[in-house]
Amino acid sequence: MNIILVGYGRMGKLIAESIAASDSMRLVGIVDPEHHRTFDEIDERADVVIDFSYPGNLTLTLDYVMSTHCALVLGTTGLNEVQLDQVKEASSACPIVFSYNFSTGIAVLKRALALVAPALKGDFDIEIVEAHHRAKADAPSGTAKLLRQAIDPDEQLQTVDGRSGITGARPSDQIGMHAIRGGSVAGDHSVLFLGDQEMLKFEHSASSRQIFVNGALRAVRFVHGRAPGLYGMDDILWGDQA
């Protein structure tokens, strides 16, 4: 498979290294100020584009995959509602795997939360806490939003981003979201269900960004040759049972 990589930050460099070590993938170009500024500067066409860069690159990436009908693995966080709609529209022309987190563990956690949350909502208060490295640009993390969606897909609960001052008693129809930034933390997420005299806590800790790279390359192998559509980690792990 010919791969074009968009962005060459921490994740981009790890992805490039892993592709170089792969027997089934070949990196034919990198769209980045240090390499190629546009897709047009790359001689070979991609079978799959991988984009873990930043929202400002989305239009460039979608224009290319829609015009060539190649596949896309998209892990960019911080997309706004308009951009999310653009991703959905593009998926009618080409296969796209889009996720805020490509960790297998997070995908399993998300599925577990969707299973247990209906039994706990109403009787338990729900709080989500996430921690990331000091350079992360957006908060709360895309993964925290993903977990929140699994807990409350119909958005019946109000999201409260942090608390300050005299807030009064906590209403039961809230989900608290808390972002911690510092050091080199690859990504920690905790979901707490706090009830009367008991607490249930779900945690996931990423020791290295390599787990996201491994998931991204698994997504590449999954999406190559697929029919147009919008896919996620659930489709990769559980297929028709997603």
Side-chain angles (χ1 to χ4, degrees):
M1 282 179 281
N2 285 351
I3 310 294
I4 291 179
L5 177 63
V6 181
Y8 199 61
R10 293 188 189 93
M11 273 293 293
K13 290 175 181 174
L14 283 174
I15 291 171
E17 291 171 3
S18 295
I19 291 173
S22 170
D23 294 330
S24 61
M25 302 178 196
R26 188 167 67 100
L27 187 61
V28 297
I30 301 172
V31 179
D32 176 84
E34 298 178 14
H35 300 87
H36 307 282
R37 290 188 175 274
T38 68
F39 285 91
D40 293 335
E41 296 178 9
I42 300 172
D43 294 332
E44 298 186 64
R45 284 180 54 168
D47 295 309
V48 183
V49 172
I50 304 176
D51 187 350
F52 275 72
S53 58
Y54 77 106
N57 281 334
L58 183 67
T59 298
L60 187 72
T61 297
L62 293 183
D63 284 348
Y64 179 81
V65 299
M66 290 180 71
S67 65
T68 62
H69 299 283
C70 73
L72 170 63
V73 173
L74 180 64
T76 300
T77 63
L79 301 181
N80 60 37
E81 291 300 321
V82 172
Q83 290 173 315
L84 292 173
D85 287 339
Q86 291 171 342
V87 173
K88 291 177 184 176
E89 182 180 348
S91 70
S92 65
C94 53
I96 299 175
V97 175
F98 173 50
S99 179
Y100 284 130
N101 191 302
F102 280 82
S103 155
T104 300
I106 285 291
V108 173
L109 173 57
K110 174 175 167 283
R111 197 170 179 89
L113 290 173
L115 179 65
V116 303
L120 301 176
K121 278 196 300 186
D123 296 323
F124 285 69
D125 298 322
I126 306 169
E127 300 283 306
I128 299 173
V129 183
E130 56 97 346
H132 282 84
H133 54 90
R134 64 166 63 92
K136 185 167 177 61
D138 57 310
S141 68
T143 302
K145 294 176 182 178
L146 195 70
L147 299 178
R148 190 228 176 279
Q149 183 182 29
I151 295 166
D152 183 37
D154 298 326
E155 298 187 359
Q156 298 175 335
L157 305 179
Q158 176 191 7
T159 301
V160 177
D161 292 311
R163 296 187 181 86
S164 180
I166 302 173
T167 59
R170 184 197 194 282
S172 60
D173 61 344
Q174 288 184 352
I175 293 182
M177 298 276 273
H178 310 276
I180 298 168
R181 295 292 177 267
S184 58
V185 180
D188 288 351
H189 293 84
S190 299
V191 179
L192 292 79
F193 293 88
L194 302 114
D196 186 17
Q197 310 297 323
E198 60 180 331
M199 178 179 73
L200 186 61
K201 187 175 184 180
F202 293 81
E203 290 185 303
H204 179 271
S205 181
S207 301
S208 164
R209 291 182 182 84
Q210 188 63 43
I211 66 169
F212 310 125
V213 174
N214 296 344
L217 297 189
R218 184 174 183 175
V220 167
R221 290 186 286 270
F222 168 87
V223 78
H224 182 231
R226 292 271 167 181
L230 188 59
Y231 303 94
M233 287 297 290
D234 282 359
D235 298 296
I236 295 171
L237 295 177
W238 290 285
D240 293 339
Q241 299 177 9

